[in-house]
Amino acid sequence: MMQRITTLTSYLLYRLFSSMASIILLLVGFAYYWLTFYQRAPEPEYFVIVIGAFGLVISFFSTLAVASLSNEAKSYPFFMRLQSRTEFLASILLTALIFALLLQLLMTAVVLIRNGPELTIGRAIEVPPIWLSLNILASVLALQASDFVSYGWSRVWIFGLLAVAIIFGDNEGETINWIASFLRDTGEQAIGTSEAIIQMSEFLIRAADFLTGTTMTTISNVFGSLFWPFRAILDAVQTGYFTRAQAFAPALILLFAAVLFLLAADFFNSRDMTLAED
């Protein structure tokens, strides 16, 4: 299996590097460096966060690019030689991660040589798990978003649930409080004597009360716990060290990525294989 995945990954890397997408992503990297590092000597926290964000973005769009290349009729012969479609999915993921990591390391080398952030050995050791876990998660999310993998309304459900989780999992509850305040103000300011307007006003006020009640607080805490690994990593980077609990954050992100990859594999194996003509 590994030999088949390695061979297919080599082929996809060749196609990616010889495509226009690789040039565009490289230009994006130059623009990103100019905007974020060109005229400053970054602090270690800034260096870790900004280059980590670069890797996340590049991983997402690299995966979309590789998935788009794979969604062509040229890929049909490979499916005849693979024992499972999941092997093709793993090759796409590995190709995109290798390409993104190369650009991320290139950005890192340029910043270290030209800008000279004061990065200690202890801080440098903590960086790879952070960057790799975020890159892998971004690539898996890109698989879910691609035409090559999506099955029916799968990506609408995945990213819809992600949007809901972001809204309701807000750490401070500011988004929910704003929505509740807006609904309450709208309901209280509704003017009219008709029964329909009165019922609408009462409904909006009840909805606002529900959003600020204990039930919604519990729901918000559940969604908020999903984003604890990201907050833990950000806090650790800003403070300069990981606590014992925060050290598990990259592993939890990899667990999320593994679940999403298995879901993507299930979608991919369930859909009809109809590739675009060249």
Side-chain angles (χ1 to χ4, degrees):
M1 181 179 72
M2 288 305 301
Q3 184 177 4
R4 292 191 296 271
I5 291 176
T6 303
T7 302
L8 182 55
T9 300
S10 301
Y11 169 73
L12 291 176
L13 277 172
Y14 166 75
R15 291 204 61 194
L16 179 60
F17 275 105
S18 59
S19 69
M20 184 62 68
S22 63
I23 299 176
I24 294 174
L25 292 173
L26 186 60
L27 292 176
V28 169
F30 281 121
Y32 191 90
Y33 171 79
W34 188 83
L35 291 172
T36 56
F37 289 110
Y38 184 68
Q39 292 182 331
R40 65 177 298 168
E43 302 80 7
E45 298 80 10
Y46 182 88
F47 169 81
V48 174
I49 292 174
V50 173
I51 295 189
F54 172 74
L56 188 150
V57 172
I58 291 298
S59 296
F60 187 89
F61 286 105
S62 297
T63 306
L64 288 180
V66 179
S68 178
L69 294 172
S70 302
N71 197 32
E72 297 178 356
K74 293 179 181 178
S75 300
Y76 275 125
F78 291 100
F79 287 100
M80 305 301 176
R81 294 173 170 83
L82 298 175
Q83 292 185 357
S84 171
R85 290 186 183 182
T86 306
E87 294 178 2
F88 205 123
L89 215 57
S91 299
I92 294 175
L93 188 67
L94 186 58
T95 300
L97 288 173
I98 291 173
F99 181 82
L101 186 60
L102 288 175
L103 287 187
Q104 195 172 26
L105 291 176
L106 177 61
M107 175 82 72
T108 301
V110 172
V111 173
L112 289 175
I113 294 172
R114 189 180 186 279
N115 302 85
E118 298 180 359
L119 197 66
T120 62
I121 296 177
R123 177 62 65 86
I125 293 174
E126 296 174 349
V127 167
I130 298 173
W131 288 356
L132 286 175
S133 60
L134 293 175
N135 289 1
I136 292 172
L137 180 62
S139 293
V140 175
L141 284 173
L143 284 177
Q144 295 282 2
S146 66
D147 292 334
F148 190 60
V149 173
S150 63
Y151 178 65
W153 288 72
S154 64
R155 57 186 164 191
V156 176
W157 285 107
I158 292 294
F159 287 93
L161 289 174
L162 181 60
V164 170
I166 291 174
I167 293 174
F168 288 96
D170 183 8
N171 191 33
E172 301 296 333
E174 294 181 357
T175 304
I176 296 298
N177 290 333
W178 181 86
I179 295 174
S181 178
F182 174 78
L183 293 177
R184 182 174 286 106
D185 292 343
T186 303
E188 291 176 350
Q189 294 174 6
I191 300 175
T193 57
S194 67
E195 184 177 354
I197 293 180
I198 294 174
Q199 290 180 349
M200 182 191 71
S201 176
E202 292 175 349
F203 171 78
L204 293 176
I205 293 174
R206 287 197 301 270
D209 292 338
F210 173 76
L211 291 176
T212 55
T214 55
T215 301
M216 184 52 63
T217 300
T218 303
I219 295 174
S220 180
N221 290 335
V222 171
F223 280 116
S225 64
L226 297 176
F227 294 95
W228 174 84
F230 304 97
R231 293 195 296 268
I233 287 177
L234 186 60
D235 292 341
V237 170
Q238 291 175 341
T239 57
Y241 63 91
F242 279 82
T243 64
R244 290 185 178 180
Q246 291 171 338
F248 288 100
L252 289 176
I253 292 177
L254 290 177
L255 179 61
F256 293 160
V259 172
L260 288 172
F261 180 80
L262 292 176
L263 194 59
D266 183 61
F267 292 150
F268 189 52
N269 290 322
S270 301
R271 61 172 300 209
D272 294 332
M273 186 53 58
T274 304
L275 304 181
E277 296 296 332
D278 297 342

